[in-house]
Amino acid sequence: MRSTTRRRRHFALVGILAGAMLLTTVPSSAAGTGAGGPGLGDPYFPDDGNSGYDVADYDVRVAYDPDHPDHLTGDTTVTATATARLDRFHLDLEGFEVDSVTIDGTPARSFSRSGAHELLITPARRIAKGAKFAVRVRYSGKPVGKSWHRLPDGAANVTGEPHSATAWYPANDHPSDKATLRLTATVPEAWTVIGNGRPGRTTSSGHGQKTYRWYEDKPLATYVSTIAIDKFTVHTSKLADGTPVVNAYSPGTVIDPQAEALLPEIIDFLASKFGPYPFSSAGFIVVNGDPAAPRGGAALETQSRPTYIGGAVFDSSLVHEYTHQWFGNSVSFTDWRDGCLAECVAQYANQLWDEKSGADLDTGFYPGMIEQSRQDPDFWSVKLYDPGAGRELHSALYFKGSMMMHALRRTIGDAAFFGTLRQWQREHRYGNASWPQFEALAKKVSARPDLSAFFDAWVHGTTVPEDKYLYPGSLGALAPANSR
């Protein structure tokens, strides 16, 4: 995600993260009791997600009337495979009254709420390890949580990180458990629903309501799922290969034909660097922000269709959020320590886009960032991998991170640098991977096992890298005279 302003410089903070081995293995203590436990043990958010099962699909059905914004009705089926014997298990859901829970059509023996977001479910019959099962949860009430955004005139939008899904449907809320998503949403006829993935059939009830359907057929991390409900102006088109493009604008936002025309070029450019575009649809959603919020806005890489809140769409933010479709969405991180896998690359993509237009990154971007670092005594103080709990969105991932990517490129050369990015996508497409795996791949592709020292200085260090790592290759011309 990135904040948007009317400046085109790419040094501004862009927030919100976008991982290798699934963390759905049940802890040994839970395995002994037949209980899937709350929390997957993420180092930063230990209560996020749940152990004991692996989700394959979410079938989310909601009904919402903007004239009654304090009430949403939901009916979600979670299809999963047990990774342990389950006498009970958890789902994550904020707020709402849970009306009923069934497993494979049979009512649960019991269900109850625990903590801020846990729904504890005891099935009527034990679920065997390896068994596929479907949990249907019916719920209703007032949407709560920081990611449910009330927009002007009763409109609504769900975006947020690290949590957003639990504000509107029950989920295994951790990026390591990715799943496909089907959305069916019923609203009054004057309103429109936009979601992830490709649009399906829209039907009218004949009683003043319409039902919209959206299908994300590639696995997604729960925090990049979205729903937006407004009186949208919707523009549709196709990419050259026939991929549908859906762009939606809330009333009062700027309709931007230039951004729409630029999007296919940006996707083609990024595909030339990273590999084929990974999803079956594209586009963006532009929604009004909170009128009381500061000027400007924010953006989030909601899968296949980034969301822009309270601001216009600019080429830099399109490049950034669309880079996340590869880095963060198609290949997601393993846990929240891995944010550099998404943000360091996405921010550097802005520099690549500038370079395409003729910018010299060695003489423009890089020395500009060196000068910025001199003005900020804390510039180098945060690690890029494992920056610390509460700092997973730290500006270091954008400022220091984009510098690191350029220094890595100058250290190993263009062939190895872009070869690493493309191979990363091929090896982990639609899955999860970790930053240590990225380091290992860069060493392998570049045939440079000595890169450990580079990564120690840039990624794991908290001080200015030595000049040999700060000014590698063609950047050596920038080094102070006494260090050459």
Side-chain angles (χ1 to χ4, degrees):
M1 172 181 171
R2 64 167 292 136
S3 296
T4 56
T5 69
R6 295 194 176 275
R7 295 167 54 211
R8 193 176 174 276
R9 294 315 313 159
H10 308 314
F11 307 145
L13 171 62
V14 275
I16 296 190
L17 301 167
M21 299 172 291
L22 290 176
L23 297 180
T24 51
T25 302
V26 65
S28 58
S29 60
T33 60
L40 285 169
D42 187 284
Y44 297 170
F45 301 98
D47 294 332
D48 283 6
N50 305 274
S51 64
Y53 60 91
D54 180 15
V55 178
D57 179 71
Y58 295 102
D59 184 354
V60 181
R61 299 167 184 263
V62 296
Y64 181 75
D65 184 348
D67 288 337
H68 303 280
D70 289 338
H71 188 84
L72 177 144
T73 300
D75 183 350
T76 292
T77 298
V78 181
T79 302
T81 299
T83 58
R85 186 191 73 207
L86 296 176
D87 291 320
R88 67 177 190 268
F89 59 92
H90 298 73
L91 286 167
D92 297 310
L93 180 67
E94 293 182 87
F96 297 112
E97 291 292 327
V98 176
D99 303 312
S100 67
V101 178
T102 61
I103 298 93
D104 296 330
T106 301
R109 178 172 299 167
S110 66
F111 57 89
S112 60
R113 307 305 293 270
S114 174
H117 55 75
E118 297 294 343
L119 173 61
L120 175 59
I121 300 168
T122 301
R125 293 182 296 273
R126 172 183 294 166
I127 300 172
K129 181 179 179 179
K132 183 177 179 180
F133 63 99
V135 186
R136 184 178 183 182
V137 181
R138 295 177 178 175
Y139 52 99
S140 60
K142 181 179 180 179
V144 298
K146 295 179 180 179
S147 58
W148 179 272
H149 307 293
R150 287 270 301 276
L151 304 177
D153 301 322
N157 156 263
V158 181
T159 48
E161 192 171 13
H163 310 107
S164 64
T166 54
W168 61 297
Y169 66 93
N172 193 18
D173 194 29
H174 192 271
S176 65
D177 194 358
K178 299 169 67 172
T180 55
L181 174 70
R182 292 173 287 168
L183 170 62
T184 304
T186 300
V187 293
E189 281 194 343
W191 298 80
T192 303
V193 179
I194 307 294
N196 302 93
R198 56 185 174 82
R201 190 164 56 102
T202 300
T203 56
S204 177
S205 70
H207 300 285
Q209 292 185 320
K210 277 188 175 181
T211 298
Y212 293 83
R213 296 168 180 85
W214 293 89
Y215 304 97
E216 180 46 84
D217 49 11
K218 301 301 182 185
L220 87 170
T222 49
Y223 77 90
V224 291
S225 63
T226 192
I227 183 172
I229 302 165
D230 209 337
K231 296 178 180 179
F232 286 110
T233 297
V234 178
H235 292 176
T236 60
S237 60
K238 293 183 179 180
L239 301 179
D241 64 359
T243 299
V245 178
V246 178
N247 300 315
Y249 301 88
S250 285
T253 61
V254 177
I255 294 177
D256 192 344
Q258 182 177 354
E260 293 185 7
L262 193 60
L263 180 57
E265 181 182 349
I266 288 172
I267 291 176
D268 286 345
F269 171 74
L270 296 175
S272 73
K273 301 297 183 184
F274 309 142
Y277 179 65
F279 299 118
S280 62
S281 65
F284 50 76
I285 307 169
V286 185
V287 299
N288 270 317
D290 181 348
R295 292 186 63 186
L300 180 66
E301 61 271 20
T302 43
Q303 187 157 304
S304 75
R305 189 159 293 106
T307 301
Y308 298 88
I309 305 167
V313 179
F314 300 103
D315 57 349
S316 60
S317 60
L318 277 176
V319 170
H320 185 100
E321 304 307 335
Y322 262 90
T323 298
H324 279 313
Q325 304 309 309
W326 284 264
F327 291 87
N329 292 9
S330 177
V331 183
S332 303
F333 42 81
T334 304
D335 61 49
W336 289 98
R337 296 174 296 180
D338 291 318
C340 189
L341 288 170
E343 302 302 347
C344 295
V345 183
Q347 184 67 353
Y348 185 58
N350 287 328
Q351 317 315 323
L352 298 177
W353 180 252
D354 279 354
E355 186 177 55
K356 173 180 178 291
S357 302
D360 186 333
L361 303 186
D362 285 1
T363 61
F365 155 73
Y366 202 81
M369 293 303 294
I370 291 287
E371 181 59 31
Q372 181 169 325
S373 74
R374 292 177 180 142
Q375 308 301 316
D376 181 0
D378 296 324
F379 188 93
W380 303 101
S381 64
V382 176
K383 294 186 292 183
L384 296 179
Y385 172 64
D386 195 7
R391 298 195 291 189
E392 59 280 345
L393 306 180
H394 198 278
S395 61
L397 299 180
Y398 310 94
F399 303 159
K400 179 181 171 184
S402 57
M403 290 182 71
M404 180 274 295
M405 295 300 294
H406 191 60
L408 176 61
R409 179 183 173 189
R410 291 297 183 247
T411 298
I412 64 177
D414 277 13
F417 179 78
F418 290 109
T420 297
L421 298 183
R422 287 190 289 270
Q423 187 166 332
W424 181 256
Q425 292 298 315
R426 289 195 302 271
E427 290 186 359
H428 303 292
R429 191 173 175 88
Y430 308 127
N432 299 78
S434 68
W435 179 263
Q437 287 179 285
F438 183 85
E439 290 189 12
L441 181 63
K443 294 173 189 177
K444 176 182 175 182
V445 173
S446 67
R448 291 280 303 271
D450 61 330
L451 279 180
S452 294
F454 173 92
F455 288 124
D456 285 345
W458 270 103
V459 177
H460 306 286
T462 57
T463 58
V464 182
E466 293 180 54
D467 283 352
K468 62 181 177 180
Y469 304 122
L470 188 60
Y471 302 110
S474 58
L475 293 172
L478 302 176
N482 60 2
S483 66
R484 295 178 192 171

